[in-house]
Amino acid sequence: MEEPDSVDRLALIRERLQGFARAREWGQFHSPKNLVMALTGEVGELTEHFQWLTEQESKELSDAELEGVREEIADVQIYLLMLSDKLDIDLLRAVEDKIAKNEQRFPVERVRGSRRQRWPE
Amino acid sequence: MEEPDSVDRLALIRERLQGFARAREWGQFHSPKNLVMALTGEVGELTEHFQWLTEQESKELSDAELEGVREEIADVQIYLLMLSDKLDIDLLRAVEDKIAKNEQRFPVERVRGSRRQRWPE
Amino acid sequence: MEEPDSVDRLALIRERLQGFARAREWGQFHSPKNLVMALTGEVGELTEHFQWLTEQESKELSDAELEGVREEIADVQIYLLMLSDKLDIDLLRAVEDKIAKNEQRFPVERVRGSRRQRWPE
Amino acid sequence: MEEPDSVDRLALIRERLQGFARAREWGQFHSPKNLVMALTGEVGELTEHFQWLTEQESKELSDAELEGVREEIADVQIYLLMLSDKLDIDLLRAVEDKIAKNEQRFPVERVRGSRRQRWPE
């Protein structure tokens, strides 16, 4: 079976998230302010998986660790989609615009190999 | 020409991000542990836009505020994509799996309208 | 029995925290970088208590909620003390200095009642 | 004259913070919910100092880096004090109680040297 391509996969996900909240009458709690807090909570949970690991260990997660991390990453993504929807932001377009901006902002010859050049800020 | 669907667009975005880091030799700093910290930094910046707003105000951002928020949301998304790539996680699949899990976990009839049922956790 | 006053209460707490980590051989995990991540995790947990509450509700926590919040606040404080110790920072002095700086930076007549003046930044 | 002990100093700091907010009429923005968000913002700024450093580098900050970190740590502490005050939580007592609880919860002989035993949670 083929992956969907005529229907948009991200659009489907957004519709499912909207339906999920609607069925549970949870939209009333989903102000942008609250969704940003929820995002913080999930990033906190994600962080707890990594806080005592060395950088090297963070590249070599066990299957069990990776499964936990995968769920937290999904949660972050879910809230980010919900937040974007509430604010009528086209998430992929915003990303594309930011990459273009950063390509201007951090010329290769100036920042190559420099740890101090944080990106994206 | 047609608009590419989100899967194609996401694949292009991921390639651009990889090329961006490669050209600047920044891959050396992008361990999963470090990317999680970078995600925290961006969520912190996003939070600063909302911390003194009421929930109602957070729904009625000015154009200038919204533009700032849009950039922070893009930054969060960028680091989340980079992190997923480093961990070989299929981000959309992870989201779809988590939604399915949550649909089981929070039956409509049990949680409808209840603030205490946090989701996703 | 009296409260300790000749012996310093915060100094006692710091000694207990150092002894706790030493006895468990956990000092090896407590680099400043890792402690900052641990702080993020705790702030995430604290945030989860508040994310779906209105501002008004956040002022009227039940006893059970308050007890949970009290523990998370303690955890944040504990990691902040451990981090300060690792970096040889006198935490109270740093706070006093920052308040003095902010008193200069945000003159009363300029910022009174203005939401946009974030403080401290 | 003697140096005041930490309890006295903390009491003075709390009074200064209350006076600072009162003079600027900022108390109206300082609901517990909002202060938790402000805490997130500051921890995000603190994290940005450390995100691309190795653990070893995080132990050897330059004077300039340390000064920046010291200010962010002060900001976190300031918001934590303001939050505790709003919730009528005795911060030092909460810490002492949590340490006692953790001493029970993580017996030395069981957790010694184990990275997986997160503490405090």
Side-chain angles (χ1 to χ4, degrees), chain A residues 43-99:
Chain A
V43 169
E45 292 183 31
L46 180 59
T47 298
E48 291 181 350
H49 285 272
F50 288 97
Q51 63 197 21
W52 306 132
L53 303 187
T54 64
E55 284 185 68
Q56 188 55 40
E57 288 168 337
S58 83
K59 297 175 187 173
E60 301 164 344
L61 301 180
S62 70
D63 287 352
E65 286 171 322
L66 189 60
E67 181 51 33
V69 166
R70 189 174 177 268
E71 284 207 31
E72 302 303 348
I73 286 177
D75 286 338
V76 175
Q77 183 64 73
I78 284 168
Y79 280 127
L80 200 63
L81 282 165
M82 290 167 70
L83 177 62
S84 302
D85 264 11
K86 289 284 172 185
L87 294 171
D88 272 323
I89 288 172
D90 178 333
L91 187 50
L92 294 189
R93 185 70 66 205
V95 166
E96 289 159 347
D97 290 349
K98 191 62 193 275
I99 294 175

Side-chain angles (χ1 to χ4, degrees), chain C residues 11-78:
Chain C
L12 276 175
I13 286 172
R14 291 170 50 217
E15 277 171 34
R16 277 179 78 184
L17 290 172
Q18 289 165 14
F20 186 97
R22 195 166 41 240
R24 284 156 188 79
E25 299 174 13
W26 284 353
Q28 59 185 310
F29 307 118
H30 292 168
S31 65
K33 183 181 178 88
N34 287 5
L35 290 171
V36 168
M37 294 188 83
L39 203 54
T40 297
E42 297 305 333
V43 170
E45 292 183 31
L46 179 59
T47 298
E48 291 180 351
H49 286 272
F50 289 98
Q51 63 197 20
W52 305 133
L53 303 187
T54 64
E55 285 186 67
Q56 188 56 39
E57 289 168 336
S58 82
K59 297 175 188 173
E60 301 164 343
L61 300 180
S62 70
D63 287 352
E65 287 171 321
L66 190 59
E67 181 51 31
V69 165
R70 188 174 177 269
E71 284 207 31
E72 303 302 348
I73 285 177
D75 287 338
V76 175
Q77 183 65 73
I78 284 169

Side-chain angles (χ1 to χ4, degrees), chain A residues 43 46 73 76-77 80 95 98-99 102 105-106 115 117-121, chain B residues 13 17 20-21 26 29-43 45 71-87 91, chain D residues 48 51-52:
Chain A
V43 169
L46 180 59
I73 286 177
V76 175
Q77 183 64 73
L80 200 63
V95 166
K98 191 62 193 275
I99 294 175
N102 280 326
R105 188 174 168 205
F106 298 109
R115 186 191 67 189
Q117 295 299 332
R118 298 188 296 114
W119 178 79
E121 277 174 341
Chain B
I13 286 171
L17 290 173
F20 186 98
W26 284 352
F29 307 118
H30 293 168
S31 64
K33 181 182 180 89
N34 288 5
L35 290 171
V36 168
M37 294 189 83
L39 203 55
T40 297
E42 297 306 331
V43 170
E45 292 183 29
E71 284 208 30
E72 302 303 347
I73 285 177
D75 287 338
V76 175
Q77 183 64 73
I78 284 169
Y79 279 127
L80 200 63
L81 283 164
M82 290 168 71
L83 177 63
S84 301
D85 263 12
K86 290 284 172 185
L87 294 171
L91 188 50
Chain D
E48 291 181 350
Q51 63 198 21
W52 305 132

